[in-house]
Amino acid sequence: MQDVDIKTADGVLDAKLFQPEGAGPWPAVILCMDAMGVRPSLESMARRIAAAGYVVLLPNVFYRDGHASKLELKGTFEDPVFRKHIYALIGNLTPERQKTDAAAELDFLARHPSVQPGSKVGVTGYCFGGGVAVRMAANFPDRIGAVASSHGGKLATDSPDSPHRLVGQVKGELYFGHADNDSSMTAEDIQTLEAALKAAGVKYVSEFYPGARHGYAVDNWPAYHPQAAETHWRRILELFGRTLRA
């Protein structure tokens, strides 16, 4: 693991970079964090993807509010003060800022000697990071070959820039794994998303995980569901294997 700094129009985005063992170059994957930020559990997930043969970038998307090592993201959503803090951080990450950051991350990977030249990038996102991943693929359709969202929240809202309204811009393959009884992505929301995907004519899989709550894929999280997590790993690694490798 290597700590890296990526210059953006708004400052310096701190991130962690993971590489497979052996000689590269390799395809690249961006791991879009959940609302609890960059931490050991996400680093472990990045290592697992890297071990499968990918250079993995894990950016701190809240960098405008502080370096990952200094952000206070320990708490529970049952605490209204903590919940307000997290929602403020997410709200501060506007679609325009997401595009700015994605461009910088993609350019960083394109320049990196360990990344396969000219290869398309994969993106995998968790929680609100699912929407970040979809937006990245919509903003840079010729650079993103695959996008995965696991227990993604707010993917189909009334907002004019809701992620589900952007899927027609995506050229890569999409995967969605939905948590059971998830207030951030209800059954109605899933139907809205799937209708948009079908109307767009994109290649996608939208899968429901019965009994798995929001957060099922992230180890050391109360909702972690080992069986669902392993299914999610099979899905995303198969996705990257068929879309990112020449």
Side-chain angles (χ1 to χ4, degrees), residues 194-211:
E194 292 178 346
L197 290 163
K198 290 175 183 176
V202 294
K203 188 173 183 180
Y204 77 95
V205 172
S206 179
E207 185 174 21
F208 185 70
Y209 285 59

Side-chain angles (χ1 to χ4, degrees), residues 210-228:
R213 295 183 294 145
H214 183 85
Y216 61 76
V218 183
D219 197 0
N220 293 323
W221 184 250
Y224 178 66
H225 191 295
Q227 182 178 355

Side-chain angles (χ1 to χ4, degrees), residues 6-234:
I6 301 173
K7 291 183 179 180
T8 77
D10 295 332
V12 178
L13 184 159
D14 56 293
K16 296 184 181 296
L17 189 71
F18 303 79
Q19 300 182 51
E21 294 183 2
W26 303 276
V29 170
I30 298 173
L31 196 165
C32 298
M33 67 187 215
D34 60 13
M36 304 304 289
V38 174
R39 59 196 189 283
S41 56
L42 290 193
E43 293 170 9
S44 176
M45 295 170 74
R47 287 190 183 93
R48 182 160 177 172
I49 299 172
Y54 303 92
V55 175
V56 183
L57 184 69
L58 173 58
N60 167 31
V61 299
F62 294 155
Y63 72 94
R64 292 175 181 84
D65 296 279
H67 191 278
S69 63
K70 298 180 180 179
L71 287 171
E72 294 294 332
L73 298 179
K74 294 182 179 179
T76 68
F77 277 85
E78 286 70 31
D79 178 356
V81 175
F82 179 77
R83 187 168 62 245
K84 182 178 180 181
H85 174 56
I86 292 294
Y87 287 159
L89 291 174
I90 294 173
N92 197 30
L93 190 64
T94 63
E96 293 76 16
R97 287 178 168 180
Q98 290 180 43
K99 187 174 183 178
T100 293
D101 296 348
E105 293 161 15
L106 290 167
D107 288 346
F108 170 84
L109 290 171
R111 293 191 302 265
H112 201 279
S114 294
V115 175
Q116 195 171 49
S119 62
K120 291 192 175 183
V121 175
V123 190
T124 181
Y126 301 84
C127 181
F128 91 98
V132 174
V134 172
R135 195 176 302 280
M136 186 183 298
N139 284 329
F140 300 95
D142 294 321
R143 302 180 73 174
I144 304 296
V147 55
S149 166
S150 298
H151 47 82
K154 307 297 184 184
L155 297 176
T157 71
D158 294 332
S159 172
D161 59 2
S162 171
H164 83 283
R165 304 184 194 278
L166 307 176
V167 294
Q169 302 172 36
V170 178
K171 293 183 179 179
E173 186 175 342
L174 300 109
Y175 172 79
F176 296 91
H178 303 291
D180 197 351
N181 193 27
D182 186 350
S183 62
S184 71
M185 194 65 188
T186 66
E188 183 180 357
D189 295 335
I190 294 172
Q191 290 177 352
T192 300
L193 171 64
E194 292 178 346
L197 290 163
K198 290 175 183 176
V202 294
K203 188 173 183 180
Y204 77 95
V205 172
S206 179
E207 185 174 21
F208 185 70
Y209 285 59
R213 295 183 294 145
H214 183 85
Y216 61 76
V218 183
D219 197 0
N220 293 323
W221 184 250
Y224 178 66
H225 191 295
Q227 182 178 355
E230 286 305 309
T231 299
H232 130 274
W233 281 117
R234 287 196 301 273

